[in-house]
Amino acid sequence: MAEEETDESFYQERMDKWFSDWLPGKDGEDINFDPKELPREFRHKKFDFDDITFRSKSKKPTKIRTEGDLSRILCSVIQNVFDLAACRSTGEDRVDFLQIKDTSVAKVESDDPDRPDLSVHKASAAQAFHLDDADKQDVSPDSHRAFIGRVAYSWTIFPGVVKIDSSREGFGFSADELDLPDTEGSRETRGQFAGHVTEILSRQHRQFTFAFYVYKNLARLFAVDRNSAIMTPPFDYVKDPNTLLKFFYRLARADNCAQGEHMSEDHGVIQPLILDAMNDALDHGPTSTWPLYEVQVHDHISGKTSCFVIGKPRKPATSLFGRATRGYVGFDSVEHDFVWLKDAWRSDSLNSHPEWEIYSKLKNANVKNIATMRCGGDVYNPKLQCTLSQDYISSPLLKRRIHSRLIINEIGFPLDAYETSRILIYIVLCAFQAHESAWVKAGILHHDISDNNMLIIHVNGKKRGLLIDWDLCKYASELQERKPLRQNASGTWAFTCAVRLHYPKKFLELADDIEAFVHVIIWCALRYHRHSLLRNPGDFALVVHQLFFDCTCSSDGLLYGCFGKWHAIMYGTYSFQLISDERFQNVLDKLMRLCRSHYRSLDLIELERFLPADILKKIKAPQQTYTITELPVDLDALRSPYEDPEEDDDITFKIAAPDVHEEPAIRTLDEHVYIGQILYKAIQDEDWNCWRSSGVDHFETMLHVSFTERNRPVDGTRSVETFPRKRARSPQASSIVQPKRFRASSSAHNSTPVDGSTFERAALCREQDADTQSVSPQPAGDIEASYSESEDEDEAKVNSIFTAKLHDELVS
């Protein structure tokens, strides 16, 4: 797993209750595996594990020396169970047969270096796991070759992990309470296990999925949803095989819902218009790793249900637990147009607001530069889809999560598709205006400002910026109680304001969001533009780490860090200079001076009450005191050079008044006007079009850089486990672009960050919704807009000069 395991990640339930809750089976469906009780054609088949032994001097015919030896036996017995279940499925009770594949040994290319040892799938999806005989010729014995298959997460019902090395046992042996081993090998095993489940939940549309784990003669069964993994105690399947056999038999007899699925299996015939948008799904036909799905979206307002066809997500979910936000280009088979489908597991909390509710309020308040919602609501099939594992864990941080979907009309490019620094400022300004309008008109604070949540669209040949993803927003009424927070607020870690990272208990306020816009601009400057830090990748990696990724957990479970961001604002400058882009540098300098002015107005003594408990304890620890007798000083021994320095030839120095530019202590981030004016004035200069290098991502230079901080080594590729990692992305396109623009170019894949390090659950750090996309930027065009000098009455309530000037031409 990307995050460190906590008590909430795994939960051990009694065996009888686990089966009763997750896999109760159908009445009378269990079967006695005694050969005398089996159908005649199955009496000669094996339904036990008596020949398994790990003792070196055993007289039994089969001694397990490798994980492959154990997988061969498991495959044979499990497939017999599946075949038996299929034999008993007739008429209306007939189900799609299950098959098991050994996916650990095939020497073929795979997108998963840690492939699952065993993968269970439906017989109808067998083609996706097929391997030619040439790819299996090294497998022995010959009888096992039929079980060898390739990895196909999109069609895997559930995975299995097999281990025999004691140093890599991942889940402990206690049947009474869960005690996860804390060794490097055990952590790696749990990471592999979580990775397999994450891939399945990311590629399929499930409420939950099952999994199983085998260590020598012991086994555990799992049910995993977007909150936690609920497991059985370990049991000896060699001495008592019925428990393991019952698990596979019931799953083979279960319907789609009982297996965790909530999808229509009839993907239908897709019209030619969708071919380009869904080419990832259709390139390989039935063997595609990203098949097409028809999903239903229930609208909370009208009550109607609409169907949309989707393929490979353009925004995959990279974490197992949490919101698991995924974004798709979807096709509306009724309206015959493309849309954007957002699929997420929202928290069922009084502090969390459904995004469709927010979009309705924003629309009613006439907030501009936001996405246009077509429909949205929670997912029912037929019951409300929600996580179940929270019922097993008594943790106030672990709330029920509800599966939801949202459809918006606009399909655009992410912010990092901008071509020039001027366009970057323009797009950020559009989003900034949407933020201000939402706050003033609707009393809504976005609360998750990041580069991922600013979208570039094209309307009538002109660019426009949108502020999207309002699912973490807060109402103004919720911010009135200015008391210390008991847990970290949600948001994106890299762009969180420095004062909240420094004092994590600090209450939420408007200034937090406004400052985040500055950090987005700094992020882009460092990542996509030439600057002075590029000459030394080690220094570059250290600076970026301290500004955006540094993270420490206090004794009371609060996250704090990124002190480089705090110091940069307090000094009023970042430790780099742009090269060949003086205007952009001028914007950065002005923004930093505004932030410094605001921070100089803060009461640092008052802010100490928002510190984590362990840090506050150190600050307030009693200091050793000394008794000092103060002696008078002899001022006559000094002569002031200001009076008449020529009278004293002994004076060899002169004191000159320093040239200090001190920003006034003004709370410049409490309203939008200050930063808004800087950005608005900057884009007025039409001669300023400094192009960024196409396809260049300077964070790539840090992928293999290591450095030392606080007397500990820090790997530049895994700083706080949120540092940039390479991931291929396909471009989005505006919905007004012809369908051919949807096809991904092989040269369009850039490095993208796992930034979205959202910390809604402070102790778990699971809200890392990596929503970043990298695209090939479209050819740039000049921004054709004549800005009106007259104020619009509709915008008069917005307390900002620049907003009124932009309204007529920029957002109408």
Side-chain angles (χ1 to χ4, degrees):
M1 298 175 63
E3 303 89 10
E4 181 181 356
E5 295 91 345
T6 68
D7 292 340
E8 289 84 0
S9 299
F10 297 95
Y11 179 84
Q12 182 169 296
E13 182 57 276
R14 297 194 327 267
M15 184 71 70
D16 58 340
K17 192 172 188 307
W18 189 94
F19 270 102
S20 175
D21 291 350
W22 293 96
L23 202 57
K26 301 176 181 179
D27 293 338
E29 78 165 4
D30 284 342
I31 190 170
N32 187 344
F33 292 97
D34 186 332
K36 298 179 181 179
E37 304 294 331
L38 295 175
R40 182 180 301 274
E41 62 269 30
F42 287 92
R43 292 177 182 174
H44 68 285
K45 295 188 176 182
K46 189 172 181 57
F47 289 92
D48 60 55
F49 305 95
D50 290 343
D51 55 353
I52 292 180
T53 180
F54 296 92
R55 294 176 296 173
S56 58
K57 297 182 180 181
S58 173
K59 296 181 180 180
K60 292 185 178 181
T62 303
K63 177 179 177 292
I64 306 301
R65 294 182 174 86
T66 67
E67 293 172 358
D69 294 337
L70 185 54
S71 294
R72 284 193 291 271
I73 296 177
L74 290 171
C75 283
S76 178
V77 175
I78 293 171
Q79 189 58 57
N80 288 341
V81 175
F82 290 160
D83 292 344
L84 178 62
C87 177
R88 297 191 65 196
S89 300
T90 57
E92 296 181 356
D93 192 38
R94 192 173 185 84
V95 297
D96 195 353
F97 309 150
L98 296 187
Q99 296 179 352
I100 188 167
K101 287 292 187 293
D102 184 341
T103 50
S104 66
V105 299
K107 296 181 180 180
V108 295
E109 293 184 0
S110 171
D111 57 359
D112 180 19
D114 296 322
R115 294 168 290 182
D117 298 301
L118 303 174
S119 299
V120 174
H121 65 88
K122 294 183 178 180
S124 59
Q127 185 64 27
F129 296 82
H130 174 75
L131 282 174
D132 295 333
D133 291 339
D135 296 319
K136 301 185 289 186
Q137 59 185 358
D138 295 334
V139 176
S140 61
D142 294 348
S143 59
H144 188 60
R145 292 181 183 177
F147 292 104
I148 302 300
R150 69 172 70 246
V151 178
Y153 283 121
S154 297
W155 304 102
T156 300
I157 301 298
F158 58 93
V161 175
V162 178
K163 299 294 181 185
I164 65 171
D165 186 348
S166 59
S167 66
R168 297 174 63 82
E169 202 292 305
F171 295 97
F173 309 106
S174 174
D176 298 325
E177 60 182 11
L178 181 61
D179 185 15
L180 298 177
D182 189 19
T183 66
E184 181 178 356
S186 62
R187 290 193 298 270
E188 183 178 347
T189 294
R190 292 194 294 273
Q192 292 175 352
F193 176 89
H196 306 327
V197 176
T198 299
E199 288 289 345
I200 292 174
L201 292 179
S202 296
R203 294 168 183 263
Q204 301 181 36
H205 298 264
R206 290 179 161 272
Q207 183 179 10
F208 59 88
T209 189
F210 290 101
F212 66 100
Y213 170 77
V214 172
Y215 169 70
K216 290 188 175 180
N217 61 306
L218 299 177
R220 286 183 185 267
L221 310 177
F222 292 79
V224 189
D225 61 18
R226 288 298 185 180
N227 262 337
S228 293
I230 309 301
M231 69 175 81
T232 67
F235 59 93
D236 191 327
Y237 67 93
V238 175
K239 293 182 179 179
D240 179 18
N242 283 339
T243 299
L244 189 61
L245 300 182
K246 178 173 68 173
F247 169 71
F248 292 112
Y249 186 82
R250 288 190 178 183
L251 269 173
R253 295 270 294 159
D255 58 23
N256 291 342
C257 290
Q259 291 177 355
E261 294 183 80
H262 283 278
M263 276 299 306
S264 170
E265 294 183 281
D266 183 11
H267 301 150
V269 178
I270 308 303
Q271 300 187 23
L273 185 62
I274 205 171
L275 289 176
D276 283 312
M278 305 299 176
N279 69 83
D280 290 319
L282 299 179
D283 278 347
H284 304 288
T287 64
S288 172
T289 58
W290 293 99
L292 294 174
Y293 290 94
E294 184 182 64
V295 299
Q296 296 180 341
V297 178
H298 175 80
D299 185 60
H300 76 292
I301 297 178
S302 66
K304 296 181 179 179
T305 298
S306 304
C307 296
F308 300 88
V309 178
I310 59 175
K312 181 179 180 179
R314 286 344 190 211
K315 289 186 178 181
T318 60
S319 61
L320 173 56
F321 301 118
R323 285 181 294 164
T325 304
R326 293 179 288 179
Y328 299 85
V329 171
F331 181 73
D332 189 331
S333 57
V334 176
E335 300 295 332
H336 291 267
D337 61 352
F338 290 106
V339 296
W340 183 256
L341 186 149
K342 180 178 178 180
D343 182 285
W345 291 78
R346 66 180 183 89
S347 176
D348 185 17
S349 168
L350 295 177
N351 298 323
S352 178
H353 310 290
E355 193 168 10
W356 53 85
E357 171 188 301
I358 302 303
Y359 271 109
S360 296
K361 291 181 179 294
L362 295 175
K363 180 181 179 181
N364 293 336
N366 196 30
V367 174
K368 306 299 183 182
N369 289 346
I370 61 170
T372 307
M373 182 182 70
R374 179 173 298 190
C375 60
D378 294 328
V379 178
Y380 293 82
N381 195 8
K383 296 180 180 180
L384 178 67
Q385 288 191 32
C386 59
T387 57
L388 306 173
S389 58
Q390 70 281 342
D391 296 338
Y392 298 83
I393 302 170
S394 58
S395 171
L397 296 178
L398 202 60
K399 305 294 184 182
R400 182 177 72 156
R401 290 193 174 274
I402 300 175
H403 195 187
S404 62
R405 293 187 178 123
L406 180 74
I407 299 294
I408 61 177
N409 291 339
E410 294 83 3
I411 304 172
F413 287 88
L415 178 65
D416 60 13
Y418 71 90
E419 300 92 346
T420 69
S421 50
R422 179 172 178 253
I423 294 178
L424 167 65
I425 298 301
Y426 168 74
I427 298 301
V428 172
L429 179 58
C430 290
F432 192 76
Q433 188 220 16
H435 184 275
E436 180 184 23
S437 184
W439 174 253
V440 175
K441 291 183 172 183
I444 294 176
L445 186 70
H446 187 278
H447 192 39
D448 188 20
I449 300 302
S450 72
D451 62 335
N452 302 323
N453 295 337
M454 300 180 195
L455 197 67
I456 303 174
I457 64 172
H458 297 79
V459 180
N460 299 325
K462 298 179 182 179
K463 294 186 188 299
R464 176 81 57 80
L466 302 181
L467 184 59
I468 60 173
D469 290 349
W470 295 79
D471 49 339
L472 293 182
C473 75
K474 297 294 181 183
Y475 294 140
S477 58
E478 297 173 316
L479 307 182
Q480 294 177 355
E481 188 176 6
R482 300 163 70 88
K483 293 183 179 180
L485 300 178
R486 290 180 294 176
Q487 64 186 64
N488 287 90
S490 55
T492 301
W493 182 264
F495 308 108
T496 301
C497 67
V499 67
R500 190 147 60 85
L501 294 174
H502 210 62
Y503 303 97
K505 292 184 178 181
K506 189 188 79 69
F507 52 81
L508 306 178
E509 56 184 332
L510 173 63
D512 299 349
D513 266 27
I514 293 180
E515 182 184 327
F517 281 94
V518 176
H519 299 312
V520 168
I521 296 175
I522 298 295
W523 168 281
C524 292
L526 278 170
R527 188 168 188 179
Y528 303 116
H529 295 261
R530 295 177 61 207
H531 51 77
S532 56
L533 290 175
L534 294 177
R535 66 190 67 178
N536 190 323
D539 290 345
F540 184 24
L542 180 58
V543 168
V544 172
H545 172 78
Q546 293 175 335
L547 289 177
F548 300 113
F549 299 109
D550 178 33
C551 179
T552 303
C553 187
S554 67
S555 60
D556 46 5
L558 292 170
L559 304 179
Y560 62 97
C562 295
F563 297 119
K565 185 183 297 184
W566 169 270
H567 293 304
I569 293 180
M570 295 302 287
Y571 282 102
T573 181
Y574 280 107
S575 56
F576 72 93
Q577 288 288 318
L578 295 176
I579 298 175
S580 303
D581 199 342
E582 183 178 353
R583 291 184 176 90
F584 192 14
Q585 181 66 56
N586 187 40
V587 172
L588 299 183
D589 293 341
K590 290 180 179 180
L591 293 175
M592 287 304 297
R593 287 199 292 269
L594 275 181
C595 291
R596 184 172 188 264
S597 177
H598 182 86
Y599 273 54
R600 289 190 67 244
S601 70
L602 300 178
D603 187 342
L604 300 185
I605 301 299
E606 171 66 16
L607 284 172
E608 285 187 0
R609 68 190 182 103
F610 301 118
L611 287 170
D614 48 352
I615 298 179
L616 190 60
K617 183 178 179 181
K618 293 179 181 178
I619 292 178
K620 294 189 174 182
Q623 302 294 323
Q624 186 175 1
T625 59
Y626 301 90
T627 301
I628 301 176
T629 302
E630 183 178 358
L631 298 176
V633 297
D634 184 5
L635 293 178
D636 293 336
L638 300 176
R639 292 194 179 186
S640 172
Y642 298 108
E643 296 177 357
D644 191 358
E646 294 182 357
E647 294 182 0
D648 193 340
D649 295 334
D650 293 335
I651 297 178
T652 58
F653 62 90
K654 293 184 179 181
I655 300 177
D659 182 14
V660 177
H661 176 68
E662 192 70 60
E663 288 78 20
I666 302 174
R667 294 186 65 88
T668 54
L669 303 182
D670 282 348
E671 52 184 325
H672 294 79
V673 61
Y674 295 99
I675 287 181
Q677 287 178 337
I678 291 177
L679 302 182
Y680 174 72
K681 291 178 180 179
I683 65 170
Q684 300 301 307
D685 188 353
E686 296 185 1
D687 293 333
W688 168 32
N689 267 315
C690 188
W691 290 72
R692 54 174 279 196
S693 301
S694 178
V696 171
D697 182 349
H698 296 310
F699 281 6
E700 288 184 348
T701 63
M702 300 180 292
L703 290 176
H704 304 290
V705 174
S706 296
F707 53 88
T708 302
E709 183 183 30
R710 298 179 187 173
N711 299 320
R712 63 183 175 88
V714 179
D715 183 352
T717 64
R718 300 176 57 217
S719 301
V720 201
E721 295 173 348
T722 59
F723 212 78
R725 297 188 302 205
K726 300 188 71 174
R727 186 189 305 118
R729 287 287 185 273
S730 301
Q732 296 181 57
S734 170
S735 56
I736 64 172
V737 180
Q738 294 300 319
K740 65 179 181 179
R741 302 297 292 274
F742 282 92
R743 180 168 292 277
S745 169
S746 59
S747 62
H749 297 159
N750 296 326
S751 171
T752 59
V754 188
D755 43 22
S757 183
T758 317
F759 48 103
E760 185 180 34
R761 290 171 61 185
L764 306 183
C765 301
R766 290 176 177 163
E767 288 298 287
Q768 297 183 356
D769 285 34
D771 294 339
T772 300
Q773 301 165 319
S774 292
V775 301
S776 296
Q778 287 184 327
D782 291 337
I783 300 175
E784 300 175 5
S786 57
Y787 304 111
S788 172
E789 296 296 332
S790 62
E791 294 189 359
D792 188 283
E793 293 182 359
D794 185 52
E795 292 289 338
K797 296 181 181 179
V798 181
N799 184 23
S800 174
I801 297 174
F802 83 95
T803 305
K805 290 182 177 180
L806 284 178
H807 174 70
D808 286 339
E809 295 297 331
L810 186 60
V811 298
S812 62

